[in-house]
Amino acid sequence: MNPSKKQGLLQALRAIVGADQVLTEGDLSAWELDWRKRERGQALAVVRPANTEEVALVVQACASADVSIVPQGGNTGMVVGSTPDASGTQVVLSLSRMKRIRQLDAANLTVTVEAGCLLQTLQEACAAAGFLYPLSMASEGSCTVGGNLGTNAGGTQVLRYGNTRELCLGLEVVTATGEVWNGLSGLRKDNTGYDLRHLFIGSEGTLGVITAATLKLFPMPKAMVTAYASLPSLDAAVQLLGLAHQHLSSGLTGFEVMGSFALSLVRKHFPQQHVPFAGDDAFCVVLELSDHDCEAHGRALLESLLEAALQSGCVVDAVVAQTQAQAQALWHIRESIPLAQAQEGLNIKHDISIAVSRIPDFVRETDAAIQGAFPGARMVNYGHLGDGNLHYNVQAPEGADAEAFLREQEKPLNALVYAQVDRFNGSISAEHGIGSLKREKLAEHKSPVALGLMRAIKLALDPHNHMNPGRVLALEPLPSKIPGA
Ligand code: FAD
Ligand code: MLT
Ligand code: ZN
């Protein structure tokens, strides 16, 4: 980009959001480096608008200068989707100042909130008003509503409440041309043509900028009871899940599985945490029951489930949290796994989904194939078993140079795992999205018809490929029609 055009754009951006909200100097790694430290980009500028009107003007200014935009929330994404590329020509549009909760409509059971609001802030505000906003994940203290929508995030309550898409009733979006679409109706029924909200949810910033959303609320359960169980195998975990559905019905709100090596990383990197059962069994499960009667009722239900499970042999040992603090400590073990894995070093993540019934076979076969082809590779296996979503992750062999392992083995290892995912009719991305890390894999694993439709949608909504280019789809920018650009 020629320097005078760049200065012209920076001047325009400063006029829109204020000079102190256009960052070009100093340490920008919070915006330029992805959470997993897989890629460091370089931004032309980080721009932080205060409201939707400013977002629209920023998008218009960038479009006029033929400059692309990377929308960013908390930058906790797992697939390198929210950081700029290395060209120094992309504007990072951070929504972090747009965090207002605009309206909580108790009768309509909805909340309308700006995209930069932290998920945890939203959960807490809703809880204070007596409602549950059920989206929940370990990154909730840093990730934003806009990022959750951009990735269609999942988390630990999906088996009862659905993923972000299912929690969203309406959006406000700044389009690639800088127009504002207000779709914040809060309606549960609206069959007036194409449902545009679903195009933007999960589009990872490639179609427009989400500036606000109307989301569903639920009555706060009277009690949430948590148990932690050790199991001899993944087959046993699937059996326990079946029993849990039978015994707890819609009260089952969490069912997370953790392999013994994943738990050993928590013990190693967070020795202050007490991880029950000392790694004796192959897998552990965190189970949560939400009860709309009372705590005693919930506890009795959960205990009767565990009794049945112990009798059938699918559970070897179990504890039920007696206090809220104990429940949090049990959940904290599960939530610490990604952090423990990051501490252990660079790693390969597979965020896959497969029909729950087929997961044990998938893991058995794929573990064996990986051990055959990549001896010593360490399997960090955990995830949202209740949704059929496994984080089937791989750490370099003990003592190996992780960077070299990834450089040399990531491609063939991914090819092996994703071929297995195809064989089991699964998905290569259950909840993290595609970003740039999985873009080539998407092209290999999605049908040509689906890819063609996705491409057509992208070109219709963002013909000049200004919105987060290079993410999700590989698309060359079309020649700009903007005079002088
Ligand atoms: P970012 O990382 O900033 O952005 C993610 C994508 O969304 C990018 O493509 C970006 O361009 C786009 N985007 C961001 N804001 C907007 C916007 N306003 N408009 C349009 N596009 C936008 N994910 C899960 O699904 N389930 C989990 O259980 C889970 N657990 C996690 C645990 C840890 C410890 C960590 C670090 C991450 C976890 N994640 C999980 C991944 C991540 O937190 C989620 O994907 C989250 O939704 C991203 O939100 P964010 O605000 O950080 O988005
Ligand atoms: C999780 O479930 O912990 C996340 O999706 C993060 C991860 O896969 O590392
Ligand atoms: Zn997850």
Side-chain angles (χ1 to χ4, degrees), residues 141-177:
S142 319
C143 69
T144 63
V145 167
N148 300 155
L149 288 155
T151 56
N152 183 28
T156 58
Q157 306 271 302
V158 173
L159 83 169
R160 166 67 180 87
Y161 299 101
N163 48 28
T164 312
R165 183 184 300 286
E166 288 159 276
L167 297 172
C168 178
L169 290 173
L171 289 181
E172 178 187 88
V173 172
V174 172
T175 68
T177 54

PDB file of all heavy atoms in Angstrom, residues 141-177:
ATOM      1  N   GLY A 141     -14.077 -15.598  30.588  1.00  0.00           N
ATOM      2  CA  GLY A 141     -13.588 -14.336  31.159  1.00  0.00           C
ATOM      3  C   GLY A 141     -12.895 -13.450  30.129  1.00  0.00           C
ATOM      4  O   GLY A 141     -12.612 -12.284  30.411  1.00  0.00           O
ATOM      5  N   SER A 142     -12.617 -13.987  28.943  1.00  0.00           N
ATOM      6  CA  SER A 142     -11.910 -13.207  27.917  1.00  0.00           C
ATOM      7  C   SER A 142     -12.635 -13.151  26.579  1.00  0.00           C
ATOM      8  O   SER A 142     -12.400 -12.236  25.791  1.00  0.00           O
ATOM      9  CB  SER A 142     -10.532 -13.815  27.613  1.00  0.00           C
ATOM     10  OG  SER A 142      -9.889 -14.246  28.770  1.00  0.00           O
ATOM     11  N   CYS A 143     -13.479 -14.130  26.271  1.00  0.00           N
ATOM     12  CA  CYS A 143     -14.112 -14.127  24.949  1.00  0.00           C
ATOM     13  C   CYS A 143     -15.358 -13.251  24.967  1.00  0.00           C
ATOM     14  O   CYS A 143     -15.911 -12.952  26.019  1.00  0.00           O
ATOM     15  CB  CYS A 143     -14.435 -15.549  24.482  1.00  0.00           C
ATOM     16  SG  CYS A 143     -15.752 -16.362  25.403  1.00  0.00           S
ATOM     17  N   THR A 144     -15.778 -12.841  23.785  1.00  0.00           N
ATOM     18  CA  THR A 144     -16.881 -11.872  23.677  1.00  0.00           C
ATOM     19  C   THR A 144     -18.099 -12.483  22.979  1.00  0.00           C
ATOM     20  O   THR A 144     -17.983 -13.484  22.263  1.00  0.00           O
ATOM     21  CB  THR A 144     -16.438 -10.658  22.841  1.00  0.00           C
ATOM     22  OG1 THR A 144     -16.126 -11.123  21.511  1.00  0.00           O
ATOM     23  CG2 THR A 144     -15.221  -9.967  23.441  1.00  0.00           C
ATOM     24  N   VAL A 145     -19.210 -11.812  23.155  1.00  0.00           N
ATOM     25  CA  VAL A 145     -20.454 -12.238  22.496  1.00  0.00           C
ATOM     26  C   VAL A 145     -20.263 -12.261  20.974  1.00  0.00           C
ATOM     27  O   VAL A 145     -20.693 -13.197  20.293  1.00  0.00           O
ATOM     28  CB  VAL A 145     -21.599 -11.273  22.892  1.00  0.00           C
ATOM     29  CG1 VAL A 145     -22.813 -11.465  22.014  1.00  0.00           C
ATOM     30  CG2 VAL A 145     -21.945 -11.456  24.368  1.00  0.00           C
ATOM     31  N   GLY A 146     -19.572 -11.255  20.433  1.00  0.00           N
ATOM     32  CA  GLY A 146     -19.350 -11.202  18.977  1.00  0.00           C
ATOM     33  C   GLY A 146     -18.506 -12.374  18.502  1.00  0.00           C
ATOM     34  O   GLY A 146     -18.785 -12.964  17.453  1.00  0.00           O
ATOM     35  N   GLY A 147     -17.476 -12.718  19.287  1.00  0.00           N
ATOM     36  CA  GLY A 147     -16.630 -13.861  18.922  1.00  0.00           C
ATOM     37  C   GLY A 147     -17.392 -15.167  19.044  1.00  0.00           C
ATOM     38  O   GLY A 147     -17.246 -16.069  18.219  1.00  0.00           O
ATOM     39  N   ASN A 148     -18.243 -15.268  20.062  1.00  0.00           N
ATOM     40  CA  ASN A 148     -19.073 -16.474  20.229  1.00  0.00           C
ATOM     41  C   ASN A 148     -19.975 -16.650  19.007  1.00  0.00           C
ATOM     42  O   ASN A 148     -20.126 -17.756  18.488  1.00  0.00           O
ATOM     43  CB  ASN A 148     -19.968 -16.386  21.463  1.00  0.00           C
ATOM     44  CG  ASN A 148     -19.231 -16.216  22.782  1.00  0.00           C
ATOM     45  OD1 ASN A 148     -19.782 -15.702  23.743  1.00  0.00           O
ATOM     46  ND2 ASN A 148     -17.972 -16.626  22.834  1.00  0.00           N
ATOM     47  N   LEU A 149     -20.560 -15.538  18.551  1.00  0.00           N
ATOM     48  CA  LEU A 149     -21.442 -15.616  17.386  1.00  0.00           C
ATOM     49  C   LEU A 149     -20.637 -15.859  16.115  1.00  0.00           C
ATOM     50  O   LEU A 149     -21.021 -16.657  15.259  1.00  0.00           O
ATOM     51  CB  LEU A 149     -22.265 -14.333  17.258  1.00  0.00           C
ATOM     52  CG  LEU A 149     -23.356 -14.193  18.324  1.00  0.00           C
ATOM     53  CD1 LEU A 149     -23.710 -12.732  18.563  1.00  0.00           C
ATOM     54  CD2 LEU A 149     -24.597 -14.995  17.920  1.00  0.00           C
ATOM     55  N   GLY A 150     -19.501 -15.174  16.012  1.00  0.00           N
ATOM     56  CA  GLY A 150     -18.652 -15.316  14.827  1.00  0.00           C
ATOM     57  C   GLY A 150     -18.207 -16.749  14.621  1.00  0.00           C
ATOM     58  O   GLY A 150     -18.074 -17.214  13.490  1.00  0.00           O
ATOM     59  N   THR A 151     -17.969 -17.471  15.737  1.00  0.00           N
ATOM     60  CA  THR A 151     -17.508 -18.864  15.623  1.00  0.00           C
ATOM     61  C   THR A 151     -18.632 -19.872  15.846  1.00  0.00           C
ATOM     62  O   THR A 151     -18.393 -21.071  15.766  1.00  0.00           O
ATOM     63  CB  THR A 151     -16.420 -19.160  16.676  1.00  0.00           C
ATOM     64  OG1 THR A 151     -16.949 -18.856  17.974  1.00  0.00           O
ATOM     65  CG2 THR A 151     -15.165 -18.348  16.429  1.00  0.00           C
ATOM     66  N   ASN A 152     -19.829 -19.403  16.187  1.00  0.00           N
ATOM     67  CA  ASN A 152     -20.893 -20.309  16.637  1.00  0.00           C
ATOM     68  C   ASN A 152     -20.344 -21.223  17.729  1.00  0.00           C
ATOM     69  O   ASN A 152     -20.392 -22.467  17.631  1.00  0.00           O
ATOM     70  CB  ASN A 152     -21.483 -21.121  15.486  1.00  0.00           C
ATOM     71  CG  ASN A 152     -22.641 -21.995  15.943  1.00  0.00           C
ATOM     72  OD1 ASN A 152     -23.328 -21.663  16.914  1.00  0.00           O
ATOM     73  ND2 ASN A 152     -22.862 -23.103  15.257  1.00  0.00           N
ATOM     74  N   ALA A 153     -19.843 -20.608  18.786  1.00  0.00           N
ATOM     75  CA  ALA A 153     -19.148 -21.357  19.834  1.00  0.00           C
ATOM     76  C   ALA A 153     -20.078 -22.359  20.525  1.00  0.00           C
ATOM     77  O   ALA A 153     -21.302 -22.178  20.564  1.00  0.00           O
ATOM     78  CB  ALA A 153     -18.572 -20.381  20.855  1.00  0.00           C
ATOM     79  N   GLY A 154     -19.452 -23.393  21.067  1.00  0.00           N
ATOM     80  CA  GLY A 154     -20.213 -24.454  21.734  1.00  0.00           C
ATOM     81  C   GLY A 154     -20.054 -24.383  23.243  1.00  0.00           C
ATOM     82  O   GLY A 154     -20.791 -23.712  23.929  1.00  0.00           O
ATOM     83  N   GLY A 155     -19.075 -25.111  23.761  1.00  0.00           N
ATOM     84  CA  GLY A 155     -18.840 -25.087  25.202  1.00  0.00           C
ATOM     85  C   GLY A 155     -19.483 -26.256  25.906  1.00  0.00           C
ATOM     86  O   GLY A 155     -19.768 -27.299  25.300  1.00  0.00           O
ATOM     87  N   THR A 156     -19.752 -26.070  27.198  1.00  0.00           N
ATOM     88  CA  THR A 156     -20.069 -27.222  28.050  1.00  0.00           C
ATOM     89  C   THR A 156     -21.562 -27.444  28.305  1.00  0.00           C
ATOM     90  O   THR A 156     -21.918 -28.380  29.015  1.00  0.00           O
ATOM     91  CB  THR A 156     -19.364 -27.068  29.408  1.00  0.00           C
ATOM     92  OG1 THR A 156     -19.787 -25.838  29.992  1.00  0.00           O
ATOM     93  CG2 THR A 156     -17.852 -27.075  29.257  1.00  0.00           C
ATOM     94  N   GLN A 157     -22.433 -26.602  27.759  1.00  0.00           N
ATOM     95  CA  GLN A 157     -23.869 -26.766  28.049  1.00  0.00           C
ATOM     96  C   GLN A 157     -24.681 -27.062  26.784  1.00  0.00           C
ATOM     97  O   GLN A 157     -25.912 -27.002  26.813  1.00  0.00           O
ATOM     98  CB  GLN A 157     -24.416 -25.469  28.684  1.00  0.00           C
ATOM     99  CG  GLN A 157     -23.639 -25.001  29.905  1.00  0.00           C
ATOM    100  CD  GLN A 157     -24.162 -25.603  31.191  1.00  0.00           C
ATOM    101  OE1 GLN A 157     -25.326 -25.430  31.519  1.00  0.00           O
ATOM    102  NE2 GLN A 157     -23.322 -26.303  31.913  1.00  0.00           N
ATOM    103  N   VAL A 158     -23.961 -27.356  25.709  1.00  0.00           N
ATOM    104  CA  VAL A 158     -24.645 -27.503  24.415  1.00  0.00           C
ATOM    105  C   VAL A 158     -25.659 -28.639  24.427  1.00  0.00           C
ATOM    106  O   VAL A 158     -26.724 -28.554  23.816  1.00  0.00           O
ATOM    107  CB  VAL A 158     -23.601 -27.714  23.286  1.00  0.00           C
ATOM    108  CG1 VAL A 158     -24.264 -28.051  21.967  1.00  0.00           C
ATOM    109  CG2 VAL A 158     -22.746 -26.465  23.135  1.00  0.00           C
ATOM    110  N   LEU A 159     -25.354 -29.705  25.149  1.00  0.00           N
ATOM    111  CA  LEU A 159     -26.265 -30.871  25.102  1.00  0.00           C
ATOM    112  C   LEU A 159     -27.654 -30.518  25.629  1.00  0.00           C
ATOM    113  O   LEU A 159     -28.629 -31.177  25.274  1.00  0.00           O
ATOM    114  CB  LEU A 159     -25.660 -32.089  25.813  1.00  0.00           C
ATOM    115  CG  LEU A 159     -25.762 -32.255  27.314  1.00  0.00           C
ATOM    116  CD1 LEU A 159     -25.343 -33.641  27.714  1.00  0.00           C
ATOM    117  CD2 LEU A 159     -24.945 -31.227  28.019  1.00  0.00           C
ATOM    118  N   ARG A 160     -27.775 -29.459  26.426  1.00  0.00           N
ATOM    119  CA  ARG A 160     -29.101 -29.064  26.906  1.00  0.00           C
ATOM    120  C   ARG A 160     -29.631 -27.807  26.194  1.00  0.00           C
ATOM    121  O   ARG A 160     -30.797 -27.726  25.847  1.00  0.00           O
ATOM    122  CB  ARG A 160     -29.027 -28.816  28.427  1.00  0.00           C
ATOM    123  CG  ARG A 160     -30.194 -28.096  29.048  1.00  0.00           C
ATOM    124  CD  ARG A 160     -31.492 -28.927  29.019  1.00  0.00           C
ATOM    125  NE  ARG A 160     -32.584 -28.193  29.620  1.00  0.00           N
ATOM    126  CZ  ARG A 160     -33.362 -27.339  28.973  1.00  0.00           C
ATOM    127  NH1 ARG A 160     -33.174 -27.108  27.695  1.00  0.00           N
ATOM    128  NH2 ARG A 160     -34.332 -26.707  29.607  1.00  0.00           N
ATOM    129  N   TYR A 161     -28.751 -26.816  25.977  1.00  0.00           N
ATOM    130  CA  TYR A 161     -29.239 -25.519  25.498  1.00  0.00           C
ATOM    131  C   TYR A 161     -28.865 -25.199  24.048  1.00  0.00           C
ATOM    132  O   TYR A 161     -29.300 -24.195  23.508  1.00  0.00           O
ATOM    133  CB  TYR A 161     -28.710 -24.396  26.403  1.00  0.00           C
ATOM    134  CG  TYR A 161     -29.158 -24.525  27.844  1.00  0.00           C
ATOM    135  CD1 TYR A 161     -28.310 -25.033  28.821  1.00  0.00           C
ATOM    136  CD2 TYR A 161     -30.448 -24.140  28.229  1.00  0.00           C
ATOM    137  CE1 TYR A 161     -28.727 -25.156  30.146  1.00  0.00           C
ATOM    138  CE2 TYR A 161     -30.865 -24.260  29.546  1.00  0.00           C
ATOM    139  CZ  TYR A 161     -29.993 -24.774  30.504  1.00  0.00           C
ATOM    140  OH  TYR A 161     -30.415 -24.894  31.804  1.00  0.00           O
ATOM    141  N   GLY A 162     -28.009 -26.018  23.439  1.00  0.00           N
ATOM    142  CA  GLY A 162     -27.593 -25.747  22.059  1.00  0.00           C
ATOM    143  C   GLY A 162     -26.380 -24.831  22.012  1.00  0.00           C
ATOM    144  O   GLY A 162     -25.936 -24.298  23.032  1.00  0.00           O
ATOM    145  N   ASN A 163     -25.833 -24.675  20.797  1.00  0.00           N
ATOM    146  CA  ASN A 163     -24.670 -23.804  20.640  1.00  0.00           C
ATOM    147  C   ASN A 163     -25.121 -22.349  20.436  1.00  0.00           C
ATOM    148  O   ASN A 163     -26.310 -22.049  20.529  1.00  0.00           O
ATOM    149  CB  ASN A 163     -23.753 -24.318  19.518  1.00  0.00           C
ATOM    150  CG  ASN A 163     -24.552 -24.629  18.274  1.00  0.00           C
ATOM    151  OD1 ASN A 163     -25.603 -24.023  18.039  1.00  0.00           O
ATOM    152  ND2 ASN A 163     -24.080 -25.561  17.484  1.00  0.00           N
ATOM    153  N   THR A 164     -24.175 -21.459  20.169  1.00  0.00           N
ATOM    154  CA  THR A 164     -24.539 -20.028  20.133  1.00  0.00           C
ATOM    155  C   THR A 164     -25.637 -19.755  19.110  1.00  0.00           C
ATOM    156  O   THR A 164     -26.527 -18.936  19.347  1.00  0.00           O
ATOM    157  CB  THR A 164     -23.290 -19.169  19.834  1.00  0.00           C
ATOM    158  OG1 THR A 164     -22.230 -19.591  20.687  1.00  0.00           O
ATOM    159  CG2 THR A 164     -23.570 -17.701  20.084  1.00  0.00           C
ATOM    160  N   ARG A 165     -25.568 -20.427  17.985  1.00  0.00           N
ATOM    161  CA  ARG A 165     -26.599 -20.229  16.946  1.00  0.00           C
ATOM    162  C   ARG A 165     -27.999 -20.431  17.525  1.00  0.00           C
ATOM    163  O   ARG A 165     -28.914 -19.661  17.263  1.00  0.00           O
ATOM    164  CB  ARG A 165     -26.362 -21.221  15.804  1.00  0.00           C
ATOM    165  CG  ARG A 165     -27.319 -21.083  14.631  1.00  0.00           C
ATOM    166  CD  ARG A 165     -27.088 -22.169  13.590  1.00  0.00           C
ATOM    167  NE  ARG A 165     -25.760 -22.177  13.023  1.00  0.00           N
ATOM    168  CZ  ARG A 165     -25.300 -21.291  12.143  1.00  0.00           C
ATOM    169  NH1 ARG A 165     -26.073 -20.300  11.739  1.00  0.00           N
ATOM    170  NH2 ARG A 165     -24.071 -21.377  11.677  1.00  0.00           N
ATOM    171  N   GLU A 166     -28.123 -21.479  18.316  1.00  0.00           N
ATOM    172  CA  GLU A 166     -29.454 -21.796  18.864  1.00  0.00           C
ATOM    173  C   GLU A 166     -29.876 -20.830  19.964  1.00  0.00           C
ATOM    174  O   GLU A 166     -31.043 -20.794  20.351  1.00  0.00           O
ATOM    175  CB  GLU A 166     -29.465 -23.238  19.367  1.00  0.00           C
ATOM    176  CG  GLU A 166     -29.459 -24.215  18.198  1.00  0.00           C
ATOM    177  CD  GLU A 166     -28.966 -25.592  18.595  1.00  0.00           C
ATOM    178  OE1 GLU A 166     -27.752 -25.810  18.611  1.00  0.00           O
ATOM    179  OE2 GLU A 166     -29.815 -26.429  18.867  1.00  0.00           O
ATOM    180  N   LEU A 167     -28.929 -20.053  20.457  1.00  0.00           N
ATOM    181  CA  LEU A 167     -29.255 -19.108  21.527  1.00  0.00           C
ATOM    182  C   LEU A 167     -29.538 -17.712  20.980  1.00  0.00           C
ATOM    183  O   LEU A 167     -29.868 -16.808  21.744  1.00  0.00           O
ATOM    184  CB  LEU A 167     -28.083 -19.027  22.522  1.00  0.00           C
ATOM    185  CG  LEU A 167     -27.766 -20.326  23.259  1.00  0.00           C
ATOM    186  CD1 LEU A 167     -26.476 -20.196  24.057  1.00  0.00           C
ATOM    187  CD2 LEU A 167     -28.919 -20.705  24.190  1.00  0.00           C
ATOM    188  N   CYS A 168     -29.384 -17.553  19.677  1.00  0.00           N
ATOM    189  CA  CYS A 168     -29.471 -16.197  19.104  1.00  0.00           C
ATOM    190  C   CYS A 168     -30.790 -15.985  18.368  1.00  0.00           C
ATOM    191  O   CYS A 168     -31.152 -16.752  17.482  1.00  0.00           O
ATOM    192  CB  CYS A 168     -28.302 -16.002  18.130  1.00  0.00           C
ATOM    193  SG  CYS A 168     -28.356 -14.386  17.340  1.00  0.00           S
ATOM    194  N   LEU A 169     -31.497 -14.912  18.742  1.00  0.00           N
ATOM    195  CA  LEU A 169     -32.770 -14.596  18.078  1.00  0.00           C
ATOM    196  C   LEU A 169     -32.640 -13.458  17.077  1.00  0.00           C
ATOM    197  O   LEU A 169     -33.536 -13.251  16.257  1.00  0.00           O
ATOM    198  CB  LEU A 169     -33.823 -14.221  19.127  1.00  0.00           C
ATOM    199  CG  LEU A 169     -34.314 -15.375  20.006  1.00  0.00           C
ATOM    200  CD1 LEU A 169     -35.216 -14.862  21.108  1.00  0.00           C
ATOM    201  CD2 LEU A 169     -35.037 -16.429  19.173  1.00  0.00           C
ATOM    202  N   GLY A 170     -31.578 -12.691  17.167  1.00  0.00           N
ATOM    203  CA  GLY A 170     -31.453 -11.584  16.213  1.00  0.00           C
ATOM    204  C   GLY A 170     -30.085 -10.949  16.293  1.00  0.00           C
ATOM    205  O   GLY A 170     -29.366 -11.082  17.283  1.00  0.00           O
ATOM    206  N   LEU A 171     -29.727 -10.257  15.197  1.00  0.00           N
ATOM    207  CA  LEU A 171     -28.408  -9.620  15.123  1.00  0.00           C
ATOM    208  C   LEU A 171     -28.513  -8.197  14.601  1.00  0.00           C
ATOM    209  O   LEU A 171     -29.446  -7.863  13.854  1.00  0.00           O
ATOM    210  CB  LEU A 171     -27.520 -10.378  14.125  1.00  0.00           C
ATOM    211  CG  LEU A 171     -26.989 -11.755  14.479  1.00  0.00           C
ATOM    212  CD1 LEU A 171     -26.129 -12.273  13.331  1.00  0.00           C
ATOM    213  CD2 LEU A 171     -26.201 -11.737  15.770  1.00  0.00           C
ATOM    214  N   GLU A 172     -27.534  -7.406  14.978  1.00  0.00           N
ATOM    215  CA  GLU A 172     -27.277  -6.135  14.296  1.00  0.00           C
ATOM    216  C   GLU A 172     -25.911  -6.303  13.647  1.00  0.00           C
ATOM    217  O   GLU A 172     -24.959  -6.741  14.305  1.00  0.00           O
ATOM    218  CB  GLU A 172     -27.244  -5.006  15.328  1.00  0.00           C
ATOM    219  CG  GLU A 172     -26.936  -3.636  14.754  1.00  0.00           C
ATOM    220  CD  GLU A 172     -26.766  -2.637  15.899  1.00  0.00           C
ATOM    221  OE1 GLU A 172     -25.623  -2.504  16.400  1.00  0.00           O
ATOM    222  OE2 GLU A 172     -27.753  -2.001  16.296  1.00  0.00           O
ATOM    223  N   VAL A 173     -25.839  -5.980  12.353  1.00  0.00           N
ATOM    224  CA  VAL A 173     -24.611  -6.256  11.599  1.00  0.00           C
ATOM    225  C   VAL A 173     -24.242  -5.045  10.754  1.00  0.00           C
ATOM    226  O   VAL A 173     -25.115  -4.409  10.154  1.00  0.00           O
ATOM    227  CB  VAL A 173     -24.829  -7.477  10.661  1.00  0.00           C
ATOM    228  CG1 VAL A 173     -23.653  -7.674   9.713  1.00  0.00           C
ATOM    229  CG2 VAL A 173     -25.058  -8.752  11.478  1.00  0.00           C
ATOM    230  N   VAL A 174     -22.965  -4.736  10.704  1.00  0.00           N
ATOM    231  CA  VAL A 174     -22.465  -3.782   9.708  1.00  0.00           C
ATOM    232  C   VAL A 174     -21.962  -4.610   8.528  1.00  0.00           C
ATOM    233  O   VAL A 174     -21.093  -5.476   8.679  1.00  0.00           O
ATOM    234  CB  VAL A 174     -21.341  -2.894  10.289  1.00  0.00           C
ATOM    235  CG1 VAL A 174     -20.708  -2.059   9.178  1.00  0.00           C
ATOM    236  CG2 VAL A 174     -21.907  -1.988  11.388  1.00  0.00           C
ATOM    237  N   THR A 175     -22.553  -4.358   7.372  1.00  0.00           N
ATOM    238  CA  THR A 175     -22.225  -5.170   6.200  1.00  0.00           C
ATOM    239  C   THR A 175     -20.872  -4.755   5.620  1.00  0.00           C
ATOM    240  O   THR A 175     -20.292  -3.740   6.021  1.00  0.00           O
ATOM    241  CB  THR A 175     -23.293  -4.996   5.098  1.00  0.00           C
ATOM    242  OG1 THR A 175     -23.183  -3.640   4.612  1.00  0.00           O
ATOM    243  CG2 THR A 175     -24.701  -5.233   5.630  1.00  0.00           C
ATOM    244  N   ALA A 176     -20.423  -5.511   4.639  1.00  0.00           N
ATOM    245  CA  ALA A 176     -19.117  -5.232   4.032  1.00  0.00           C
ATOM    246  C   ALA A 176     -19.084  -3.874   3.334  1.00  0.00           C
ATOM    247  O   ALA A 176     -18.010  -3.314   3.115  1.00  0.00           O
ATOM    248  CB  ALA A 176     -18.767  -6.339   3.048  1.00  0.00           C
ATOM    249  N   THR A 177     -20.266  -3.360   2.998  1.00  0.00           N
ATOM    250  CA  THR A 177     -20.287  -2.033   2.358  1.00  0.00           C
ATOM    251  C   THR A 177     -20.509  -0.918   3.376  1.00  0.00           C
ATOM    252  O   THR A 177     -20.616   0.256   3.024  1.00  0.00           O
ATOM    253  CB  THR A 177     -21.398  -1.950   1.293  1.00  0.00           C
ATOM    254  OG1 THR A 177     -22.633  -2.334   1.925  1.00  0.00           O
ATOM    255  CG2 THR A 177     -21.123  -2.833   0.111  1.00  0.00           C
TER     256      THR A 177
END
